[in-house]
Amino acid sequence: MDPLKTLVIATRNPGKTKEIRELLTGYPITVKNLDDFGPIPEVIEDGERFEENAYKKSSFTSRILGLPTLSDDSGLCVEALDGAPGIYSARYAGENATDAQNCEKLLKDLKGSKNRNAAFHCVISIAVPTGAALTYESTCQGVILETPRGENGFGYDPVFFFPEFNKTFAEISREEKSRVSHRGKALREMREEFDKVMKWIYLQMPLDDKFSCEE
Ligand code: ITT
């Protein structure tokens, strides 16, 4: 595996993997994810901000695997709930909660609330084994419905209504979602300067990797 031509996506969320892989097609790199490697220790996501957790995931994984690594830390911030579930989005209804249980708790907590404004946040961190990292971030505004709608996507997509499309994120295709989503926008920002990112990775990687004779 060439460390200068490989990018690992540090996630165990299949929904994220699909979206990120699709957005990275066409790059002169091989995209791997955690399923391509043996068991590796869990990252402790105990930061208080999306940025902190994104960096923890990318730097920890990159150090363990010795490969450039991209991570995504994201979540839904709801105005009437003072920004909750925020960084706790994945485990809002409990440590091993399913997407359906998280949506159910959200709808319960918002019952009777007139203010349904919410925003998805996404921070992308690309780290190299030395610990250096680049960060990209974006948000996407929407409204929380009273009942779930649609079968696509993951997480809170069935309850996240996007006014511009007059549909929830679970009622649109992955391509449509990527065009407007928090993750799509952050990744496109990265893609716009991907030549620079590749150069940065090359400069940051240990000398041994640059002079390796392996293909
Ligand atoms: P990894 O840490 O392994 O990447 P995770 O699902 O635990 O996977 P996060 O800690 O970043 O990831 O939590 C993100 C949660 O936020 C995710 O589980 C969803 O509940 C929600 N979320 C993020 N992006 C979303 C999207 O595009 N659509 C719907 N829900 C989303």
Side-chain angles (χ1 to χ4, degrees), residues 10-13 16 19 45 57 72-75 89-90 120 154-157 177 182-183:
T11 184
R12 299 217 177 263
N13 178 326
K16 274 189 193 178
E19 289 189 13
E45 290 183 45
K57 286 191 249 189
D72 159 310
D73 199 60
S74 47
S89 293
F120 274 125
F154 69 97
Y156 298 92
D157 284 344
K177 179 181 167 187
H182 47 312
R183 185 167 303 103

Side-chain angles (χ1 to χ4, degrees), residues 6-187:
T6 306
L7 186 65
V8 179
I9 310 173
T11 184
R12 299 217 177 263
N13 178 326
K16 274 189 193 178
T17 301
K18 277 191 204 139
E19 289 189 13
I20 297 173
R21 256 187 200 282
E22 211 159 271
L23 275 152
L24 291 177
T25 45
Y27 287 134
I29 45 157
T30 307
V31 176
K32 302 271 179 193
N33 77 2
L34 295 181
D35 297 333
D36 294 313
F37 302 89
I40 61 169
E42 269 316 303
V43 185
I44 316 276
E45 290 183 45
D46 57 358
E48 287 177 4
R49 295 158 56 89
F50 293 115
E51 295 90 314
E52 278 176 68
N53 285 334
Y55 178 69
K56 276 173 197 269
K57 286 191 249 189
S58 63
S59 59
F60 179 84
T61 311
S62 179
R63 225 166 294 161
I64 298 234
L65 298 177
L67 294 167
T69 302
L70 180 153
S71 76
D72 159 310
D73 199 60
S74 47
L76 180 72
C77 298
V78 178
E79 216 170 83
L81 301 176
D82 292 328
I87 56 166
Y88 303 108
S89 293
R91 47 201 151 112
Y92 190 43
E95 207 46 56
N96 296 310
T98 61
D99 287 346
Q101 288 167 335
N102 284 331
C103 287
E104 201 182 314
K105 175 166 167 51
L106 180 68
L107 296 184
K108 202 165 134 228
D109 292 353
L110 270 182
K111 210 169 174 76
S113 173
K114 286 214 165 55
N115 180 358
R116 317 288 297 190
N117 294 339
F120 274 125
H121 290 252
C122 171
V123 176
I124 299 286
S125 171
I126 304 172
V128 290
T130 54
L134 301 174
T135 305
Y136 297 87
E137 58 182 296
S138 196
T139 59
C140 176
Q141 306 277 345
V143 172
I144 304 301
L145 293 183
E146 286 178 6
T147 45
R149 268 171 36 185
E151 303 294 326
N152 302 336
F154 69 97
Y156 298 92
D157 284 344
V159 295
F160 186 84
F161 179 81
F162 189 63
E164 209 178 294
F165 290 168
N166 203 24
K167 284 181 181 162
T168 68
F169 268 5
E171 294 177 306
I172 57 176
S173 66
R174 220 165 30 238
E175 301 79 63
E176 283 174 305
K177 179 181 167 187
S178 287
R179 246 187 283 141
V180 296
S181 76
H182 47 312
R183 185 167 303 103
K185 287 192 279 186
L187 281 167

